[in-house]
Amino acid sequence: MRPTPVLALALLPLAHAIDIVSSNDDGWAEANIRSIYSALTSSGHSVVVSAPAENKSGSGSRDEEPTNRTEACEFDSCPANSGPTGQNATDPRLNWVNSYPVTSIKHGIDTLAPQFFNGAPDLAVTGPNVGNNLGLTVHISGTVGAATYAAGTAGIPAIAFSGESGEPTAWDAAVPDYSRIYGELAARLTDRLVASGAPYLPENIWLNVNFPAVDETCASADDFSFVLTRIFTALPLITADDVETCGGSRLPTEFSTIHFTDGCYVSVSVGTADDKGDADAAAQGVVLEKLGDLLTCLP
């Protein structure tokens, strides 16, 4: 029997539902990772969080075997002497690892995904980081480190999300507006990428996505637009052309888009996992086509 139009519309989100592993460097109990978990789950995806037990910002790509925890997790979200890993008592999809972001996402991919997904995850998302990760900061960011591990070593397409607004906030505090908005925006981009079909990204490619501040002008998810950018400033006569779009062959930098452009523009940069640098025009072109009219041009 062919579904009615109403039923067909209701089934649309589930048609693109995938398995996602989620991590960050601000800790498993920070509000932003809980917001993206809720947003992606509401979109129909199956999500498992595997993040550090405490704030591990600035840890880059460090990776060490988890050790037994002797103190409570951040925001008293787990008790002292609770082992090297653990989970939420009422939602086992929320997991902590007493180590770094890379170690945490490895645990999610190698240990948790087989339990919950019966195999590897389809996509890895990290963040939204508390604070932007622009330009050179990608080399020290644990949020980026986890994403590039997934995209490179593990071979899983990955997106690192970061946002300018906010400060570390407990999971059980009132959800800040910026946290909810960043979660909605992250789910919006993720859904568009997933709807484009597998493979979601080329091999060894990750996306570095940075949200500008939430303020009186940029006050809801619908106020924001996504722009294709590059991580680092291109060097004249040295850096190869970017993908042709918006009437030119040089993309704006994510830094200039976030800090020097009026409006509510989200930067989306296409990076290579092995060196955390900018991808070539071919990989940028794949992302440009996949995201389609979700992307806009700067004024």
Side-chain angles (χ1 to χ4, degrees), residues 217-235:
T217 301
C218 308
S220 73
D222 290 338
D223 293 329
F224 292 79
S225 300
F226 295 86
V227 176
L228 193 64
T229 57
R230 56 181 295 114
I231 301 171
F232 299 108
T233 301
L235 300 176

Side-chain angles (χ1 to χ4, degrees), residues 51-109:
E54 60 187 14
N55 191 327
K56 289 292 185 179
S57 296
S59 53
S61 293
R62 294 187 66 176
D63 176 20
E64 293 182 6
E65 189 70 19
T67 57
N68 289 322
R69 186 147 192 94
T70 58
E71 298 178 352
C73 293
E74 65 176 352
F75 308 121
D76 291 323
S77 55
C78 81
N81 302 311
S82 49
T85 64
Q87 61 187 202
N88 183 281
T90 57
D91 187 350
R93 287 176 175 263
L94 301 175
N95 294 265
W96 58 265
V97 178
N98 193 38
S99 188
Y100 296 105
V102 167
T103 314
S104 299
I105 204 164
K106 282 175 64 177
H107 179 72
I109 294 168

Side-chain angles (χ1 to χ4, degrees), residues 179-198:
S179 184
R180 174 182 52 79
I181 290 170
Y182 290 160
E184 291 177 12
L185 290 169
R188 188 171 298 182
L189 184 143
T190 300
D191 289 346
R192 177 61 66 93
L193 187 65
V194 170
S196 73

